[in-house]
Amino acid sequence: MKTRILVSLLVVPCALISALAAAPVPVNSQITAATVYTDRAIVTRTGTVELAAGEAEVTFEKLPAALMDQSLQVSGKGTAVATILDVNARTTYVEAAADARVKSLEDQIAAEQKKLRALGDRGVALDQQQTLIGKIENAVAAPPTKDSGATRPGFEEWQKLLTFSDEARTKLATERQALDAQREEVQAKIGALEAQLVALRGQAGSGRSYKTVTVRVAAANAGSLDLTLGYAVMGASWTPSYDARLRGEERAVELSYFGIVRQNTGEDWKGVALTLSTAKPGLGGGAPELGTWVVDVMPSDEAIALSPFSVSGSNDKRYRGMDTAGKRPLRPDPSSTSLGFGNGMALEAAPAAIVAQQAVATVDSSATSASFKIAAPATILSDNATQKVAITTITLAAKLQYQATPRLQETAFLSAYVTNSTDFPLLAGSVNTFLGDSFVATSGLKTVMPSEKFELALGADESIGVKRKVVNRFAEDTGLTGSGRRVTYEFLVTLTNNKKTTERVVFKELLPVSRNEKIVVKLIGPMERDVGTVAAPKEVTREADGKLVWRLDLKPGEKREIALKFSVEHPADVQVTGLE
């Protein structure tokens, strides 16, 4: 009997100890790094947990509901010799806690609505005053009754009434205009605040869902374990932006590369190591496979919508102790335990602290993409607001050339022809152009790969003068009987180089193109002499579509006058379209 009692007493504490050991251990983790792609981000969290010998479940709580389960990756190292057995994610629902930003916006909206109600009350008072003025006017202007004994107002009374009415109505109209302006301003402010509130409430509402990631760990001994959790989440993106500054004396373009980052993932990134990647994981790892295009006879008793393409796929929900192919157990490194779930996106280890004095990113290039590790820690809130971060600044040798179309606009536009001499691609984005430190234009840049040549439009430059005038235009009859008709045009284009350096100027003019054999276009001069088929100068070319292109090298202060003269002949009884 005493033996049974002793065994019972021993069983209860052991069961209690086992239950305590099996209880999940929450990790107090922080976001330390984020790699942003064009359509998603990989977030890295780190945290430390104390483990006892044996098996334990470690949890990362309140992660974004949009977390992609198949992208989970876990690694760890510490004083505890541990093996990560498996990892899984599940969705949990909790009541939304009060968000300070939501509360602040709600308070601001309430204050503005209070102002709007006050303005509305004042508007009602103005309406009442205007009604009262109308009653006073009617009462004074009304004819007196026989019983009242009153007389009609005299001239002075009428004058006083008109003065009172004019002053009162003018004052009311002025106040009403000011009231309307205040109302519009308050309504615009309320609209902006409500838009921000909608964006925040899209992240947090009543019954908000989260993901909880549970990592099952087996520890051979008690000790600490530093865990790193990585996962992909939608709602983040970045786009490139550029500042292009021409260094004319150096014949070079200084191109500053920026990343415009935004995120609405449900988590604020505060002081994280930020990396921008040009990879596009959303496109997959290879070219898509064509399905089968089936053509068949449609059954007469029903209508079936046919599609020429078919897509199939699968999605694993849980992954236990297997590699990415789902075939063999993982073998953790003795010094570093890790478990990864991936779709081809690599989770980078938490980078070392980067000196923030240089606002230039570190570039890692691969065969298909480049990653820019931003120098300074970044803070990007989950409010979808844009944030501009510096990537790098490169200096590219440039071949400068001015282009003009005097027929359409008497302005010379500067272009720089450069080669991407870097090891990374320049993604498509907007370009702010500066001549020196003066902003001149905004243009666009297409994606440029390493060693690829491209053109940068640098905007108008008034230092190259361009003028075009019509010297003559006259029509005359031709032939002995006047059966023909000839229209002769003469233009003069004047180019002036006001710069201190020799500049290449390219300009174009149009020559009419005949679509009928009865219409004949002839060059008269000086093009007929200078652009003959035998000895055409290199600075002028005639293209098939009727364009004449001049390529001139103008010396400092040089002025050139280029004349263009041509005629269009046709039978007098033929109506010709397109003539100016």
Side-chain angles (χ1 to χ4, degrees):
M1 185 67 179
K2 291 181 180 180
T3 302
R4 291 181 180 178
I5 294 174
L6 181 59
V7 170
S8 300
L9 291 174
L10 290 173
V11 168
V12 174
C14 290
L16 180 60
I17 293 173
S18 177
L20 291 175
V25 180
V27 180
N28 183 18
S29 63
Q30 297 82 33
I31 297 176
T32 55
T35 299
V36 183
Y37 298 85
T38 55
D39 63 346
R40 69 192 69 190
I42 289 184
V43 177
T44 301
R45 282 182 167 273
T46 59
T48 302
V49 64
E50 295 294 332
L51 297 177
E55 237 182 67
E57 288 188 348
V58 179
T59 59
F60 293 82
E61 300 178 345
K62 292 191 175 181
L63 302 184
L67 179 152
M68 302 169 66
D69 296 0
Q70 68 271 24
S71 69
L72 286 172
Q73 299 188 51
V74 183
S75 64
K77 60 176 58 178
T79 59
V81 179
T83 301
I84 296 178
L85 302 175
D86 61 28
V87 58
N88 70 85
R90 67 177 185 276
T91 303
T92 57
Y93 296 89
V94 298
E95 290 297 326
D99 191 311
R101 288 175 296 174
V102 171
K103 181 65 168 58
S104 175
L105 287 173
E106 290 174 342
D107 291 343
Q108 293 179 57
I109 292 173
E112 295 300 325
Q113 289 175 339
K114 186 176 180 180
K115 292 180 184 178
L116 195 62
R117 287 193 297 271
L119 294 174
D121 294 341
R122 182 56 184 164
V124 172
L126 293 179
D127 291 340
Q128 293 174 348
Q129 291 182 29
Q130 187 166 351
T131 301
L132 180 60
I133 293 172
K135 290 181 178 180
I136 294 174
E137 292 171 347
N138 292 334
V140 174
T145 60
K146 295 180 180 181
D147 299 335
S148 65
T151 60
R152 286 183 175 275
F155 177 76
E156 292 184 0
E157 284 77 7
W158 281 113
Q159 193 173 19
K160 290 180 181 179
L161 176 63
L162 290 175
T163 301
F164 163 77
S165 177
D166 181 65
E167 291 178 352
R169 290 185 180 276
T170 300
K171 182 179 179 181
L172 288 176
T174 301
E175 188 173 352
R176 187 179 296 281
Q177 291 175 3
L179 200 66
D180 290 342
Q182 294 178 45
R183 185 183 291 111
E184 290 177 1
E185 182 180 351
V186 173
Q187 287 175 339
K189 188 176 293 187
I190 291 175
L193 292 171
E194 287 179 342
Q196 296 179 41
L197 186 60
V198 168
L200 286 177
R201 282 178 172 170
Q203 305 169 26
S206 59
R208 179 181 177 182
S209 61
Y210 293 96
K211 285 288 179 68
T212 298
V213 173
T214 302
V215 182
R216 196 158 60 94
V217 181
N221 63 292
S224 63
L225 184 65
D226 297 328
L227 285 172
T228 299
L229 173 68
Y231 50 87
V233 64
M234 307 300 289
S237 63
W238 80 279
T239 54
S241 176
Y242 305 88
D243 284 351
R245 283 181 168 81
L246 174 65
R247 305 303 181 190
E249 297 180 357
E250 304 170 10
R251 296 287 168 170
V253 172
E254 184 181 275
L255 194 63
S256 298
Y257 197 170
F258 300 96
I260 307 299
V261 187
R262 65 173 71 212
Q263 66 105 347
N264 190 26
T265 62
E267 295 181 309
D268 291 337
W269 303 343
K270 297 182 179 180
V272 302
L274 183 65
T275 300
L276 306 181
S277 176
T278 64
K280 296 184 177 180
L283 297 181
E289 293 290 337
L290 285 174
T292 304
W293 187 341
V294 178
V295 179
D296 200 351
V297 177
M298 181 177 292
S300 58
D301 58 343
E302 61 180 347
I304 302 176
L306 297 178
S307 172
F309 302 102
S310 62
V311 180
S312 62
S314 62
N315 184 22
D316 294 334
K317 297 298 183 182
R318 186 179 177 90
Y319 196 98
R320 286 189 169 274
M322 307 295 287
D323 65 0
T324 53
K327 296 180 180 179
R328 62 182 182 276
L330 290 166
R331 297 180 180 177
D333 189 298
S335 62
S336 176
T337 305
S338 64
L339 179 64
F341 293 72
N343 58 355
M345 296 180 293
L347 175 66
E348 300 178 2
I354 302 173
V355 179
Q357 285 83 350
Q358 297 180 353
V360 177
T362 303
V363 183
D364 291 337
S365 299
S366 65
T368 59
S369 64
S371 295
F372 305 102
K373 296 181 180 179
I374 305 305
T379 295
I380 303 175
L381 302 181
S382 179
D383 55 5
N384 220 30
T386 59
Q387 184 161 330
K388 187 176 183 179
V389 296
I391 295 177
T392 188
T393 298
I394 54 178
T395 301
L396 304 173
K399 180 181 179 182
L400 303 181
Q401 177 176 288
Y402 288 90
Q403 300 182 24
T405 313
R407 178 186 178 90
L408 302 178
Q409 188 172 355
E410 294 180 334
T411 306
F413 293 86
L414 180 60
S415 291
Y417 296 87
V418 296
T419 300
N420 181 10
S421 56
T422 69
D423 295 330
F424 51 85
L426 303 175
L427 298 184
S430 61
V431 182
N432 297 318
T433 304
F434 298 82
L435 292 181
D437 293 325
S438 300
F439 174 76
V440 293
T442 297
S443 59
L445 177 70
K446 297 181 179 179
T447 298
V448 182
M449 301 308 292
S451 302
E452 185 178 356
K453 296 181 179 180
F454 64 101
E455 177 184 356
L456 276 175
L458 300 177
D461 188 350
E462 298 298 332
S463 61
I464 301 296
V466 180
K467 297 294 180 182
R468 181 183 188 269
K469 68 176 181 178
V470 179
V471 177
N472 202 354
R473 180 193 182 282
F474 62 93
E476 58 183 329
D477 295 330
T478 60
L480 297 176
T481 60
S483 59
R485 189 75 170 166
R486 178 191 298 127
V487 183
T488 303
Y489 298 85
E490 186 174 355
F491 303 97
L492 181 66
V493 176
T494 304
L495 302 175
T496 306
N497 180 12
N498 298 311
K499 301 179 75 67
K500 297 180 180 179
T501 54
T502 299
E503 301 294 341
R504 165 63 65 96
V505 181
V506 177
F507 77 93
K508 297 180 180 181
E509 278 289 340
L510 278 179
L511 194 66
V513 176
S514 174
R515 300 300 186 190
N516 191 294
E517 60 183 7
K518 295 181 180 181
I519 303 172
V520 179
V521 179
K522 292 183 178 180
L523 285 168
I524 299 174
M527 292 295 299
E528 190 174 33
R529 180 176 65 253
D530 294 341
V531 195
T533 56
V534 178
K538 294 181 179 181
E539 66 182 17
V540 185
T541 57
R542 181 174 179 178
E543 299 179 353
D545 56 357
K547 293 186 179 68
L548 300 173
V549 184
W550 283 261
R551 293 175 175 84
L552 310 174
D553 291 318
L554 300 183
K555 298 178 181 178
E558 183 180 359
K559 181 178 180 179
R560 297 281 295 271
E561 292 183 345
I562 297 95
L564 170 62
K565 188 175 181 180
F566 60 88
S567 66
V568 180
E569 298 182 10
H570 61 88
D573 58 349
V574 173
Q575 296 291 330
V576 179
T577 62
L579 292 181
E580 297 179 347

